[in-house]
Amino acid sequence: MYQVPSFEEFEELRNEVRELRSELAQYRAALPEWVRDGEAQQLTGLSQATLARERKKPDTLLVWKSAGGLRYERRSVLAFNEARTIRRRR
């Protein structure tokens, strides 16, 4: 037979759920966001051929290749853009 939890037990469970939700939000925030080739082109303003050349260089764009095509890590693309902008200003 099902036993109804006491108010204290209910509050304890509720707090555990809140803590787990908070941990889950932190893990989700830490996951990288991946963008497709076309979006990477839009973010950088570079052609597909130039992106292909750049991703072959060490320490530039973080790329993940899957059956669905190439994916670029958004932070990597934004950092690449920032580095290009700084180089041009000098």
Side-chain angles (χ1 to χ4, degrees):
M1 181 129 232
Y2 180 74
Q3 184 179 359
V4 177
S6 68
F7 181 75
E8 290 80 18
E9 292 172 327
F10 176 77
E11 284 298 312
E12 187 177 317
L13 287 171
R14 179 192 267 177
N15 289 334
E16 284 182 39
V17 169
R18 283 185 185 140
E19 289 173 17
L20 289 171
R21 282 184 176 170
S22 174
E23 285 182 38
L24 182 60
Q26 289 174 353
Y27 288 129
R28 283 184 177 158
L31 288 174
E33 181 183 353
W34 298 94
V35 297
R36 294 179 183 266
D37 199 33
E39 190 172 348
Q41 288 176 32
Q42 288 177 345
L43 289 170
T44 59
L46 299 175
S47 69
Q48 189 173 10
T50 304
L51 276 177
R53 264 194 321 274
E54 289 296 328
R55 71 176 173 254
K56 290 178 184 176
K57 296 178 183 177
D59 300 327
T60 56
L61 296 165
L62 183 58
V63 179
W64 176 53
K65 206 175 217 181
S66 71
L70 290 174
R71 301 290 187 274
Y72 295 83
E73 186 182 19
R74 180 182 291 276
R75 289 182 292 201
S76 171
V77 173
L78 296 175
F80 174 79
N81 256 355
E82 185 67 25
R84 271 185 347 125
T85 304
I86 291 171
R87 280 196 308 246
R88 278 194 223 148
R89 289 182 186 160
R90 289 183 178 179

